[in-house]
Every structure is written in structure tokens, then in C-alpha cells.
Amino acid sequence: MESSVEQLVYVRDDAYTVARMSAEGRPGFVAAGRALAGVQPGETVELTGEWEEHPRHGLRLAVTGCERVTPSTVRAIRLYLGSGLIRGIGPRLAQAIVDHFGQSSLAVIDAAPERLREVINIGPVRQAQIVEAWQEQKAVAELMVVLQGFGVSPLLATKIYQVFGTDAGRVLKDDPYRLIGRVRGIAFATADRIALRSGTPESSPARLKAALLDRLDTAASGGGHCFLSPTALVTRTVELLQQDQEPIERALDALVSELRVVREAEAVYTKETHAREVRLAAELTRLSRARSTLRLRDYREDTSLDDDQRAAVTMALTSTVSVLTGGPGCGKSHTVRALAATVRAMGGRVTLCAPTGKAAKRLSELTGQPATTVHRVLAHEPDPDALFDETPVRADLIVVDEAGMLDLGLATRLAAAIPSGGHLLLVGDGDQLPSVGPGNVLADLLRVEEIPRVRLTRVFRQAEGSAIIEAAHRVRGGELPSVPGGGGFWFEELDDPAAVAERVVHLATVAIPRKQGVDPGRVQVLAPMRKGDAGTVELGRRLQERLNPAAEDKAEHWSGATLFRTGDRVMPIRNNYDKGVFNGETGVITRLVPEERLAEVLIDDGATVTYTFDELDDLTHAYAISVHRAQGSEYPFVVAPLVVEAGGIMLRRRLLYTLLTRARSWVVLVGQRKALELAVHRLGHRRNTGLADRLLALSQAM
């Protein structure tokens, strides 16, 4: 049945799609199935399937086959051109084109695009834009067909085309393992499925090498490891491929010979990670050995500090590399404020920074002094072909708050940019979660006794009465917090994950805003896991429905399995130096313009950033976010589910401790008591890192 796609209703991560359709004789009906994956409003498709009576949604077509066809009627052509699929054509221009060319409109665009200038408001620039978008649409549609043939989600077609352009088809055919790491959403399993169905032998050296590299990358992205032991790497690859050990060991030797990995005794690194770790150790050693350029003139101790805080200030003034740690309420920010004021009073230059925008803003609020992100301190777009920046940081003292969030790459760039003689103070809570990226920089520095450090332990009077801080300190010590709690901390016990999710949504959107007299935007939902009833994806969908429901005056666009809508709270999930936005910042979608295929986002710092629809993969909803993404941020009210479900493996002491310390006034945990107990008593794994050993070796070499 030839049908036009009117609207996408729902898209799931596994590509299961529900859409409203129209066909001759059926002006409106619902179709559903994975075969619909990748369809967009305005397209015309040939559907096959069976009609079924859904218990909740009534009669709909269960689709078993879906083939894109060229729209043939004037209405279908107008709908297609005006849908926003072809960048540069909106509803009005689509009407003008169809009025002029009728049923020949698409043939003109495809075979005689110069004739488009016969239509008013189409000049050479607009014509070129339309032709480019038309060719891209055709190429992506062809890729979708190819991917479906490989049993791979066609939702990946656009992402593949963005990376490889017109070479995409050749890459899929000749070297699908090139997709790994280049195309978001494609790991070894997907590339391997394509390769095997293309005829690649299971024992192919290319396949074995790709699997080894995948195990290293997975260890880094999933566990934060900088390396794996050769035995662990080979074992994990054997388990992945179900192949014999000997050919995999030969493939590892080949990767070493090709300089694609580095083997040091009982450690195998990717080339890039090894270079960063070696460089960071060298740069920190350079900084720590350099003679200070900070001149201590008329130094006076701050009498508002206690003995440990004064010791921390003295340490930072006299040591070129040092570390300040302590839990919540122990006065780290007050110490930093006093330190910065002292240096400035002596004529020195101070830079306060943090890994994320939210953390920098919080640092500024707590110290009363300007603070920025580490990325902005580094000041310019990095050379994509270089591992490190050499931009000098012009300051006598650089203070990095929330230093536990520094991964190996960012820490290396920062250290390399600080001139010898400058002072670097890393401030953080060593009991919180480590960085999202590979490495454990703060913990590694604390393992090196030669690096000066002060740990603040006294909880100050203004923090002593905080139930949140009390609960956090109990969790850090391996004790259950007092439940159900009160005075800022509350645990509400529920067993069913679906009921937990509904309760979290109600608390965040109704109960807490009503009781506290605040806008729901001041309540942040955090979750340990991504999937499941109580994961960030499902919670985010429910919160979007409550806080920003569909309306006629709100434009929408499905990007993969994510529905973006005007008014949505969003968060960038990767750094974009061109746009000046960084992972962890938040903002609101203020405009969605389908005919231009772009979205405008107002970032919390006041900047307006434009994303094309092809770039929306760089954004995620901020209604419910992971605890990792909340690091460095503080929210007035936090609500979080705790369930032993899909994300039970994420329940760790550091995660729960970090979650609790994100809340300023209230934190409410909802879920299973066994999940709370598991989170308190289960310790996380130790990351494989070599930074501490490298620093010790360099120290002993002197």
C-alpha cells in the first residue's frame, strides 16, 4: 500500500517506529514496526503488513516491509518538499515549486535543477543548496537500504554519510571496520555484522585486529582503563569472537609491529592513550621541578582559616604542583577564595577553572571570583591532528576545581599549556566518581607521596546540620544513611521499578515544586543507569511529556530515537570548539526550523548556539541525566531512583556519594532498600592507569 508519512509518533532505540500515515482511501491510520525505521515525515513508502487491533491504541498496521518510493501525486510531492527533508525548502516554497512544475517537480530537481530558477525566490545560492540536499537525501536513502540488507538499523545511515560522504557505500563494502570509532553508535558488533555478511572470513587478520582494538576502546569508555594486560586483552577478545587464542595473539603482535598499540611489560595501550599518559607524566614533572615565578610579597595569613586551611594555602603558594582534597562542607571553596585573594593581593595572576561550565559557575558563586572552564582556559580550537595543545596559560596560579573529573586527555592538554614556574593546584573530592573518560588523574597524583597534598576533614558549623552532608559522609564511610531521613535527605522505599519511575516523575514535576514553592526546572532527576523503567531514557521521555508536552505552536523533530521539541531542556554530550560549547553545559531549545533543518539552543551562560538537524546527535535531553553527567554541578533539589534493574551494575559507593553531594537543599531517593544497601557496600573497580608509576619513575631518575 503506497502511503505518505504524516508524523512520527514514537521511535525506540531498537528502531521500532510508530507513525501516522495517509493513503488513498485511508486519510489517516497508524503503522508500527521495525521495518519503518528511518522514515521521515513527508516521505512516500510502499508498506506491507497486517492489520491488528492493539489493546490500547486500536486498529493499526503491523508493518513487515517498507520500501521508499518517489512521491507521485501533487499532494505527496508538496508534503515531501515542505517537510524539511530537503534543506532550503519550506512549506511556502514547496507550494510554489509544485504550483509551477506539478507532478514533474521532483524530476526537475533531479534532472534539470537549473529550471528551479523559474520559481520566484530561488536564485543560484538557493538552487545549489536544494540540489546538494536532494543528492544527500538520495544517498542516505540508498544507504538505508544497504544497511537493512546487512541487518543493521537504517537509523545509522545519516551518521555514516556525515562522516564518509560519497565514499560511504565503498567503506561499507570494503572496510566496514573503519566505521568503529568514527561513527557514533557503531561499535565492533555492528561493523562485524556488516563485514561477515559481506564475506569477510571469521579468522581474517583485519577482523581479529579490529576486535582487539575494540576491547581496548571498550575498556577505556566503559571502565576508564588506560590499558589492559596482554592476558586480559587476549582473553576478552577470545570471548568476543569465540576464536582460538593463538591467532589472536599473532594479531596483537602485528598491531604492536604496526605501532597501532604500545606494549609495555604487562600493559597494552592504544597509541594515543600511551602518548597522553607519557606526556602528562613528563609535563607534571616539569612543572613540579621548575623554580616558582610567584613572588611572595607582603604575605599575610588569613585569620578566617583553620590550621589545615592555612596549611593548604601555604602549600599552594610554595609548591608548583599540589592537591587539595576534602569532602562536602569541609571548606575547600573558602580555602580557594582565600588563596586567590592572597595571590592577587601580591600582584599575581590567578585563573580559577573547572572541567564543566556548571562546575565553573558553581566555583565562581562559592568563591565570589570569576571562574571558567578548562576548555576556555586553553582558549582556542585544537589542531585535530595534534594530540596536545601548546597554548600557554598566562597565570601565576591555576586552580582546577572538581579535578576528579579531569580525564587523561584534558589533564594532558592543561599541563602542557602551563609555563614552567606557574603553580597548579588541583582541588577535588577523591571519594567521588572518577572522570568519564579514561584515566584517574586525581587519584594517581594522590598515590605519589612526593606531590604535596592537604586533606580537609573538619565539617564546619554551617554544614554540620545538613542531613545531605551527614548522609554523604556516612555513605563515604560505608554506612547506610539514616532512613527514611529528614531535613534535606529522604529515602522512600518502593519495590516495583515502574512504580519507582512514576513516583520520581511525580516528585520532580508536582510534589516538590508544590511543597517548596519552586519551578519544576529547579528539580533535577539523576539516575544511575540509562536503560530500564527507571533509567534516564524512559524517565526523560516521561518528564518531557509532563514539562514540555506537544502543542501546535511547538515545532518537533525526531533525531534517531530522540524527539526534540521547542522548549526542551538539553545538554551537549561532546565538546564543540567551533560552537564554544562543552560537555556538561545545559540549555533550552528556543527555535526549531524544519525548512532550514536547524535548532537554536540558549545555553545557560547566555550564548545562543545553532545546531543543524544532522548535529542533533551531539545533544541529549537534560530532564533526567546520569550521575556521571551531573558531576561538578549542584542543584537545589535532586530526585533519583535506586533499583536493582538494568543498571544494577552501576550501583557503587562512589556513585551514590557523588549523587548525594549534587544536591544543595533536598535529595530524595526512591526505590528498593536492597539497591541502597548494594550501592553503599559495593566498591568500584580500580582503573588500570600508569600515571603514578611514571611519576615515581621520573622522580627516582633525578
Side-chain angles (χ1 to χ4, degrees), residues 233-262:
L233 176 57
V234 170
T235 299
R236 294 184 185 193
T237 308
V238 167
E239 293 172 352
L240 175 68
L241 299 180
Q242 296 297 299
Q243 294 277 306
D244 293 336
Q245 181 172 320
E246 186 176 342
I248 292 174
E249 289 176 339
R250 289 198 300 269
L252 176 57
D253 290 339
L255 285 173
V256 173
S257 299
E258 296 165 6
L259 304 180
R260 297 173 66 187
V261 301
V262 177

Side-chain angles (χ1 to χ4, degrees), residues 647-667:
I649 193 171
M650 297 297 295
L651 295 174
R652 297 285 192 275
R653 184 182 300 171
R654 287 180 184 271
L655 183 139
L656 179 58
Y657 175 73
T658 303
L659 189 161
L660 293 173
T661 56
R662 298 310 89 204
R664 186 183 308 129
S665 299
W666 269 93
V667 59

Side-chain angles (χ1 to χ4, degrees), residues 528-665:
M529 57 284 194
R530 182 177 181 274
K531 297 183 178 181
D533 288 326
T536 58
V537 174
E538 179 61 20
L539 285 172
R541 185 186 65 79
R542 295 190 187 194
L543 288 164
Q544 183 191 38
E545 289 177 356
R546 303 282 182 90
L547 298 175
N548 191 32
E552 289 186 5
D553 61 342
K554 294 179 183 177
E556 297 180 349
H557 177 73
W558 282 92
S559 176
T562 303
L563 173 62
F564 290 104
R565 180 179 293 143
T566 303
D568 275 341
R569 291 161 55 185
V570 293
M571 170 183 287
I573 57 175
R574 63 167 63 91
N575 301 326
N576 189 311
Y577 296 90
D578 286 332
K579 299 182 188 298
V581 294
F582 303 103
N583 187 359
E585 297 180 324
T586 54
V588 175
I589 296 178
T590 53
R591 290 181 69 222
L592 275 172
V593 190
E595 58 265 32
E596 298 298 331
R597 297 186 61 79
L598 61 84
E600 288 184 356
V601 178
L602 178 63
I603 303 297
D604 288 346
D605 65 5
T608 297
V609 181
T610 299
Y611 286 84
T612 68
F613 281 1
D614 292 340
E615 296 173 320
L616 289 179
D617 200 39
D618 286 356
L619 295 177
T620 187
H621 285 138
Y623 296 110
I625 61 177
S626 69
V627 180
H628 267 103
R629 294 200 185 282
Q631 279 184 273
S633 299
E634 188 179 72
Y635 311 95
F637 306 96
V638 168
V639 184
L642 288 182
V643 295
V644 184
E645 198 190 16
I649 193 171
M650 297 297 295
L651 295 174
R652 297 285 192 275
R653 184 182 300 171
R654 287 180 184 271
L655 183 139
L656 179 58
Y657 175 73
T658 303
L659 189 161
L660 293 173
T661 56
R662 298 310 89 204
R664 186 183 308 129
S665 299

Side-chain angles (χ1 to χ4, degrees), residues 92-345:
R92 291 184 180 179
L93 191 54
Q95 183 69 58
I97 292 172
V98 172
D99 285 346
H100 190 75
F101 296 113
Q103 287 184 306
S104 302
S105 297
L106 298 183
V108 168
I109 296 174
D110 190 46
E114 67 281 354
R115 290 195 60 199
L116 285 171
R117 297 194 208 176
E118 297 173 16
V119 179
I120 192 169
N121 291 330
I122 297 183
V125 174
R126 179 65 63 88
Q127 176 203 325
Q129 184 182 32
I130 292 171
V131 171
E132 180 183 1
W134 171 261
Q135 296 299 333
E136 181 178 319
Q137 271 301 115
K138 288 176 59 180
V140 169
E142 291 171 2
L143 281 178
M144 286 182 173
V145 174
V146 172
L147 290 174
Q148 284 179 316
F150 288 128
V152 173
S153 170
L155 296 179
L156 295 168
T158 300
K159 300 177 185 179
I160 295 172
Y161 185 84
Q162 288 170 8
V163 175
F164 294 103
T166 56
D167 285 338
R170 183 181 58 80
V171 170
L172 283 172
K173 178 182 177 182
D174 298 338
D175 190 8
Y177 296 113
R178 285 182 61 194
L179 301 170
I180 303 172
R182 301 279 304 277
V183 179
R184 183 173 174 80
I186 295 186
F188 176 80
T190 300
D192 194 46
R193 183 181 301 120
I194 296 171
L196 292 177
R197 294 197 178 188
S198 298
T200 299
E202 290 188 355
S203 58
S204 162
R207 181 174 188 249
L208 304 186
K209 292 176 188 177
L212 285 161
L213 292 172
D214 172 76
R215 294 299 85 188
L216 281 177
D217 289 339
T218 300
S221 61
H225 297 297
C226 292
F227 67 83
L228 289 176
S229 71
T231 300
L233 176 57
V234 170
T235 299
R236 294 184 185 193
T237 308
V238 167
E239 293 172 352
L240 175 68
L241 299 180
Q242 296 297 299
Q243 294 277 306
D244 293 336
Q245 181 172 320
E246 186 176 342
I248 292 174
E249 289 176 339
R250 289 198 300 269
L252 176 57
D253 290 339
L255 285 173
V256 173
S257 299
E258 296 165 6
L259 304 180
R260 297 173 66 187
V261 301
V262 177
R263 181 168 180 170
E264 286 186 347
E266 289 303 302
V268 180
Y269 292 79
T270 64
K271 180 178 66 175
E272 294 79 9
T273 300
H274 181 264
R276 288 188 174 97
E277 193 175 85
V278 170
R279 179 69 179 273
L280 179 55
E283 296 294 351
L284 290 172
T285 301
R286 170 183 62 82
L287 292 173
S288 64
R289 291 175 181 169
R291 170 178 281 186
S292 171
T293 58
L294 184 62
R295 299 292 174 255
L296 302 180
R297 300 188 299 271
D298 302 322
Y299 169 52
R300 297 179 183 178
E301 289 189 341
D302 190 325
T303 57
S304 69
L305 304 178
D306 72 3
D307 291 344
D308 287 342
Q309 290 174 318
R310 282 196 293 272
V313 170
T314 301
M315 170 191 70
L317 292 175
T318 56
S319 302
T320 49
V321 177
S322 57
V323 180
L324 172 63
T325 65
C330 291
K332 296 191 299 295
S333 298
H334 182 61
T335 305
V336 169
R337 179 171 61 237
L339 169 64
T342 298
V343 173
R344 287 181 174 131

Side-chain angles (χ1 to χ4, degrees), residues 372-396:
T372 186
T373 63
V374 176
H375 301 91
R376 289 191 169 94
V377 168
L378 295 173
H380 78 112
E381 180 183 358
D383 179 351
D385 296 323
L387 284 176
F388 315 107
D389 280 331
E390 303 293 346
T391 306
V393 178
R394 302 298 183 187
D396 299 292

Side-chain angles (χ1 to χ4, degrees), residues 353-575:
C353 59
T356 67
K358 279 289 187 70
K361 183 178 180 181
R362 181 168 172 248
L363 176 62
S364 180
E365 292 170 348
L366 292 172
T367 62
Q369 300 183 36
T372 186
T373 63
V374 176
H375 301 91
R376 289 191 169 94
V377 168
L378 295 173
H380 78 112
E381 180 183 358
D383 179 351
D385 296 323
L387 284 176
F388 315 107
D389 280 331
E390 303 293 346
T391 306
V393 178
R394 302 298 183 187
D396 299 292
L397 170 67
I398 298 95
V399 179
V400 182
D401 196 21
E402 297 287 355
M405 298 173 65
L406 286 175
D407 63 16
L408 187 62
L410 186 57
T412 303
R413 288 182 54 208
L414 178 63
I418 300 174
S420 296
H423 288 229
L424 172 64
L425 173 65
L426 301 180
V427 181
D429 186 342
D431 294 305
Q432 289 189 19
L433 286 170
S435 58
V436 175
N440 201 357
V441 174
L442 182 63
D444 281 344
L445 295 186
L446 291 172
R447 289 174 53 202
V448 182
E449 294 182 1
E450 288 80 0
I451 295 177
R453 81 286 308 275
V454 169
R455 180 180 178 87
L456 303 179
T457 57
R458 175 187 169 190
V459 178
F460 284 86
R461 185 175 304 149
Q462 64 268 27
E464 285 178 346
S466 168
I468 296 174
I469 290 179
E470 178 187 347
H473 281 282
R474 287 180 67 89
V475 168
R476 187 180 65 179
E479 301 178 51
L480 282 172
S482 300
V483 295
F489 168 80
W490 189 263
F491 175 72
E492 184 172 327
E493 189 169 354
L494 282 175
D495 279 332
D496 178 43
V500 169
E502 187 54 38
R503 181 59 176 162
V504 165
V505 171
H506 179 75
L507 285 166
T509 60
V510 178
I512 292 178
R514 179 187 297 160
K515 183 176 180 62
Q516 300 296 329
V518 299
D519 185 91
R522 291 174 60 80
V523 184
Q524 181 62 57
V525 173
L526 304 180
M529 57 284 194
R530 182 177 181 274
K531 297 183 178 181
D533 288 326
T536 58
V537 174
E538 179 61 20
L539 285 172
R541 185 186 65 79
R542 295 190 187 194
L543 288 164
Q544 183 191 38
E545 289 177 356
R546 303 282 182 90
L547 298 175
N548 191 32
E552 289 186 5
D553 61 342
K554 294 179 183 177
E556 297 180 349
H557 177 73
W558 282 92
S559 176
T562 303
L563 173 62
F564 290 104
R565 180 179 293 143
T566 303
D568 275 341
R569 291 161 55 185
V570 293
M571 170 183 287
I573 57 175
R574 63 167 63 91
N575 301 326

